[in-house]
């Protein structure tokens, strides 16, 4: 139960951070990616702020034997740079540029009740269903 | 100045949120993975915390809408069909690539994961390239 309340609280903080930072404004995301046009560098400070904090806290937190509300760590174990990783990231980047939305800001923006993020989010779920169907055949994730 | 202070503050809040997720639940905050695991690929015992996280994000969105609706300003001048294409690409690509801006860009880079570094450089480069391409195709009217 405690881990669920924690997840809810983390989600709340995370979405407030996205909103304060400007990540929920597609035009800013577009401006950030538009380095050959009218570049708006402001969103680079979102990554700088987030990484500066987490780079330090990650090391401190992992000195603990266990997390507070779980009896194990659930960290990614894959180490190799693979073709699906690169192709998937490339496809994601193209969609990100086309819409100005990545998954977190899109989820947060659902609350704005604007039709555009709703349409994006629903299509994103369709893309995930599509992945699952294709993956059943090709087993990318193995 | 505020042009850089707010992104920095918001980013710090994101870093704090990711740190709490690790400290309390021992998990990486990868939002595409959380959404995928909550909806399309549910695993036993791994569903409800994800929905709690999603609910928290929506709650944050509603708070933003009430106190700072300009957080959702800046809509791109594109046709609706582009959102459908983009959504499908983002959904497919983030699951194939095992993560998005949060899981790779924030958490993975903070963990100094080579996979996340490559993924982040790839989606940024793809985004920069795609903006040039789409502009030439007059997608942004």
């Amino acid at each position: 139960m405690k881990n669920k309340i924690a997840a809810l609280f983390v989600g709340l903080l995370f979405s407030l951070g996205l909103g304060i930072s400007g990540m929920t404004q597609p035009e800013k995301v577009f401006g950030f990616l538009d380095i050959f046009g009218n570049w708006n560098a402001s969103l680079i400070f979102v990554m700088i702020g987030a990484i500066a904090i987490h780079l330090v806290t990650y090391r401190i937190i992992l000195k603990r034997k266990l997390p507070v509300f779980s009896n194990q760590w659930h960290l990614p174990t894959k180490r190799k740079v693979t073709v699906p990783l690169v192709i998937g990231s490339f496809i994601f980047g193209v969609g990100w540029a086309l819409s100005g939305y990545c998954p977190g800001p899109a989820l947060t923006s659902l609350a704005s009740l604007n039709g555009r993020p709703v349409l994006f989010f629903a299509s994103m779920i369709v893309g995930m269903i599509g992945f699952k169907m294709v993956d059943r055949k090709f087993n990318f994730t193995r | 100045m505020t042009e850089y202070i707010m992104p920095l503050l918001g980013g710090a809040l994101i870093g704090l949120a990711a740190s709490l997720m690790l400290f309390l639940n021992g998990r990486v905050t990868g939002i595409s993975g959380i959404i995928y695991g909550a909806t399309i690929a549910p695993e036993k015992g791994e569903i409800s915390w994800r929905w709690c996280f999603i609910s928290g994000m929506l709650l944050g969105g509603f708070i933003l809408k009430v106190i700072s609706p300009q957080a959702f300003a800046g809509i791109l001048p594109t046709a609706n069909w582009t959102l459908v294409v983009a959504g499908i690409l983002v959904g497919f690509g983030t699951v194939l690539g095992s993560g998005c801006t949060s899981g790779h860009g924030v958490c993975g880079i903070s963990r100094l994961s080579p996979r996340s570094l490559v993924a982040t450089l790839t989606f940024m480069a793809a985004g920069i390239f795609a903006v040039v391409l789409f502009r030439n195709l007059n997608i942004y009217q």
Side-chain angles (χ1 to χ4, degrees):
Chain A
M1 187 62 199
K2 284 177 185 164
N3 72 323
K4 282 158 202 161
I5 295 168
L8 186 128
F9 184 66
V10 169
L12 172 65
L13 277 190
F14 206 108
S15 65
L16 292 178
L18 288 171
I20 290 168
S21 68
M23 287 292 291
T24 49
Q25 298 178 48
E27 230 166 36
K28 285 196 177 168
V29 173
F30 174 81
F32 172 65
L33 294 173
D34 192 21
I35 61 172
F36 296 116
N38 189 15
W39 193 34
N40 176 354
S42 68
L43 292 190
I44 195 76
F45 291 92
V46 185
M47 282 195 87
I48 291 173
I51 292 170
I53 300 259
H54 199 39
L55 200 61
V56 176
T57 59
Y58 177 77
R59 269 142 200 88
I60 298 172
I61 292 165
L62 281 199
K63 286 193 178 133
R64 292 175 60 92
K65 272 210 184 93
L66 288 173
V68 180
F69 299 140
S70 178
N71 52 14
Q72 64 177 109
W73 297 100
H74 308 265
L75 296 173
T77 48
K78 289 185 202 163
R79 286 282 168 272
K80 278 192 188 149
V81 175
T82 58
V83 173
L85 178 87
V86 174
I87 301 207
S89 299
F90 189 94
I91 294 171
F92 161 46
V94 173
W96 190 31
L98 184 55
S99 59
Y101 288 119
C102 52
L107 176 54
T108 303
S109 300
L110 289 180
S112 74
L113 304 177
N114 183 307
R116 289 177 63 91
V118 173
L119 184 59
F120 173 87
F121 195 88
S123 307
M124 187 175 86
I125 298 295
V126 171
M128 288 179 173
I129 294 170
F131 172 83
K132 196 179 184 186
M133 288 163 62
V134 176
D135 191 46
R136 238 179 238 152
K137 257 202 151 134
F138 297 97
N139 242 330
F140 295 120
T141 36
R142 297 281 166 262
Chain B
M1 195 63 187
T2 50
E3 203 191 334
Y4 301 105
I5 294 291
M6 294 315 271
L8 206 55
L9 275 179
L13 201 53
I14 291 167
L16 181 69
S19 304
L20 275 176
M21 185 68 116
L22 185 70
F23 177 65
L24 297 174
N25 290 2
R27 289 178 191 277
V28 162
T29 312
I31 299 177
S32 57
I34 289 174
I35 295 170
Y36 187 61
T39 55
I40 313 304
E43 285 171 36
K44 209 175 166 223
E46 297 288 322
I47 303 163
S48 50
W49 75 265
R50 285 184 157 93
W51 278 105
C52 289
F53 178 87
I54 290 170
S55 308
M57 285 203 78
L58 289 173
L59 181 61
F62 282 117
I63 292 172
L64 287 166
K65 184 177 163 64
V66 173
I67 63 172
S68 172
Q70 68 271 23
F72 302 111
I75 296 293
L76 281 178
T78 53
N80 283 339
W81 67 264
T82 62
L83 291 166
V84 175
V85 175
I88 291 171
L89 293 175
V90 170
F92 190 94
T94 52
V95 186
L96 178 61
S98 312
C100 59
T101 343
S102 53
H104 282 314
V106 174
C107 296
I109 289 191
S110 298
R111 300 171 59 232
L112 302 178
S113 150
R115 274 172 63 86
S116 291
L117 189 64
V118 169
T120 305
L121 291 175
T122 305
F123 65 66
M124 293 243 178
I128 290 165
F129 155 81
V131 161
V132 175
L133 175 74
F134 292 139
R135 175 176 286 123
N136 281 296
L137 294 172
N138 286 322
I139 295 288
Y140 315 106
Q141 289 142 9

